[in-house]
């Protein structure tokens, strides 16, 4: 999809054309979902993030410059939505009694939620991917975002630097550290990855 | 070369963006230092693995969900979401009070039985309003064809000829006129799919059903952990986890959020608790489908 195809669609959206937005969503929902999934670590949260991100995108269309790349802009919206939703769910004021009922730590909860209730046995490849995804989910949000943008969304160092408003050198060194951290998390699972 | 320095350069080394003299120094160090060598190999493998990772497919219902939310957000002064309300000073106290009350209820309940912790938060300070239900009586009958395909027979009954469309996700799978005892056979479901079937009648949704792609024979007691789900999502999860069809009739409060933790209980118990908390009436259709009606 070239930017020029999108810009016509976006113009129509700005004029309140619902069908145009429907089409725009169809073009980008898969990409947005993949990004959200890698950031959130599970399918359900990914859906929530994507839905909220598109609502924001729709409401914020008037701030989007027609000549810019919609995909890149949407990337940023998804990342910000993920961070906001994460902040909300962590910062919510629960009465202390209720906290006792919640499982300790995001990781454990996420592990249970990640268990797909399906009778199919996981093939080795899928197991590896699950372990990888869970490891990514254990990174801090900042590191996770870097890893996902570079390795899954295939953005360049420069594109990431632009999106996050950081110097390119900083992005490179932080990404390096994120890779080392990820490797350390995966270390115990080495038998699964023997090549 | 110090190990610390080596590690800082690992990415550049792998990407070959490093000057040859420096790369040579790294080779030297790697030859002597086993742990740095392992680190380098580890990162290299990891890089490769991520490059090969497959794209995931969004769920079938995602698109309609997105559009629904977008359309709902369209009015000039959009209704604030419940979490936005919770953070406005006026409402914070009210919400905290509701949470406190529910937490107390859940906690005292929990001391009796560790099996389920269920809390429901309704949005905006307004109670879940009773719904006037005008429904199209329906019945789902699952059956397996000779090829092992799962099909659903939907039997509907209307007092006068009514135009009905059955929609799964964004796709209409059946449409027609329903009169006395009309039967629709819905298309085959690929293994692992969950059908979200909506009967659209007079332009409004009156029925939603979650039909797992296989009917489980054995009694499942899955562990469930759900946070901040809408009523529909909660029921969809339960239908999938237990492998049973669930049908929801009527409109539920879209702002209500459910927290659910269950360490594994039988389906009947789960549904009874849920119906209590969500103010739903449980009944069973002849084919065994569980029907939940919003009051």
């Amino acid at each position: 999809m070239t930017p020029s195809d999108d810009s016509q669609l976006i113009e129509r959206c700005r004029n309140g054309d619902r069908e145009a937005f429907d089409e725009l969503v169809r073009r980008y929902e898969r990409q947005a979902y993949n990004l959200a999934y890698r950031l959130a670590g599970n399918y359900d949260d990914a859906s929530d993030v994507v839905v909220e991100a598109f609502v924001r995108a729709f409401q914020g269309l008037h701030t989007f410059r027609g000549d810019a790349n919609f995909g890149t802009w949407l990337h940023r919206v998804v990342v910000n939505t993920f961070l906001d939703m994460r902040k909300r769910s962590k910062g919510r004021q629960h009465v202390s009694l209720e906290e006792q009922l919640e499982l300790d730590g995001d990781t454990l909860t996420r592990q249970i939620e990640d268990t797909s209730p399906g009778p199919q046995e996981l093939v080795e490849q899928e197991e590896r991917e699950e372990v990888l995804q869970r490891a990514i989910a254990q990174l801090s949000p900042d590191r996770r975002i870097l890893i996902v943008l570079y390795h899954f969304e295939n953005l360049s160092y420069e594109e990431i630097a632009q999106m996050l408003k950081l110097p390119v050198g900083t992005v490179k060194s932080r990404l390096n550290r994120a890779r080392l951290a990820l490797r350390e998390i995966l270390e115990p699972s080495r038998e699964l990855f023997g090549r | 070369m110090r190990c610390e320095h080596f590690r800082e350069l690992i990415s550049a080394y792998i990407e070959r963006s490093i000057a040859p003299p420096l790369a040579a120094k790294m080779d030297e160090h790697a030859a002597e230092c086993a742990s740095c060598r392992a680190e380098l190999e580890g990162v290299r493998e990891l890089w490769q693995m991520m490059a090969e990772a497959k794209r995931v497919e969004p769920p079938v219902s995602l698109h309609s969900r997105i559009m629904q939310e977008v359309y709902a957000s369209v009015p000039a002064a959009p209704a604030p979401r419940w979490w936005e309300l919770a953070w406005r000073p006026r409402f914070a106290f009210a919400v905290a009070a509701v949470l406190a009350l529910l937490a107390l209820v859940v906690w005292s309940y929990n001391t009796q039985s560790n099996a389920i912790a269920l809390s429901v938060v309704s949005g905006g300070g307004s109670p879940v309003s009773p719904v006037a239900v005008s429904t199209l009586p329906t019945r789902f009958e699952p059956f397996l064809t000779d090829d092992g395909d799962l099909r659903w027979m939907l039997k509907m009954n209307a007092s006068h000829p009514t135009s009905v469309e059955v929609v799964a996700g964004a796709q209409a799978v059946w449409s027609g006129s329903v009169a006395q005892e009309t039967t629709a056979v819905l298309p085959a479901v690929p293994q692992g799919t969950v059908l979200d079937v909506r009967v659209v009648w007079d332009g409004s949704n009156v029925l939603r059903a979650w039909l797992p792609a296989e009917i489980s024979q054995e009694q499942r007691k899955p562990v469930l952990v759900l946070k901040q789900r809408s009523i529909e999502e909660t029921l969809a999860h339960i239908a999938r986890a237990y492998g049973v069809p669930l049908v929801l009739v009527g409109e539920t409060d879209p702002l209500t959020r459910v927290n659910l933790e269950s360490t594994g209980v039988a389906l009947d118990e789960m549904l009874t608790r849920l119906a209590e908390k969500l103010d739903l009436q449980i009944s069973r259709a002849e084919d065994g489908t569980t029907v939940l009606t919003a009051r």
Side-chain angles (χ1 to χ4, degrees), chain B residues 246-259:
Chain B
L246 283 182
V247 173
L248 173 66
V249 180
E251 299 291 330
T252 57
D253 177 18
L255 296 181
T256 296
R257 290 292 175 269
V258 180
N259 291 331

Side-chain angles (χ1 to χ4, degrees), chain B residues 82-97:
Chain B
W82 77 278
W83 58 79
E84 287 173 18
L85 272 177
W87 293 119
R88 282 190 201 156
R90 278 180 298 157
F91 289 103
F93 181 78
V95 174

Side-chain angles (χ1 to χ4, degrees), chain A residues 22 26 29-30 34 38 44-45 48 51 88 93 101-102 119 129 150 157 176 179 190, chain B residues 7-8 11 15 45 47 54-57 63 65 69 83 87 106 110 214 227 229 237 261:
Chain A
D22 192 296
R26 279 191 206 281
E29 62 189 349
R30 195 157 169 264
N34 270 273
R38 295 293 172 190
D44 292 323
D45 288 347
D48 290 347
V51 169
R88 258 185 236 141
Q93 314 256 348
L101 303 175
E102 308 224 358
E129 299 223 348
Y150 185 90
Y157 289 118
N176 185 55
R179 291 172 186 132
R190 275 213 110 210
Chain B
R7 274 156 215 223
E8 277 169 31
S11 291
E15 290 174 315
E45 279 177 24
W47 205 305
K54 292 212 237 31
R55 304 281 279 174
V56 295
E57 282 300 320
H63 184 86
R65 224 189 116 191
E69 289 294 313
W83 58 79
W87 293 119
V106 172
N110 212 48
E214 59 161 77
K227 304 214 167 173
R229 302 290 169 203
H237 262 280
E261 277 173 40

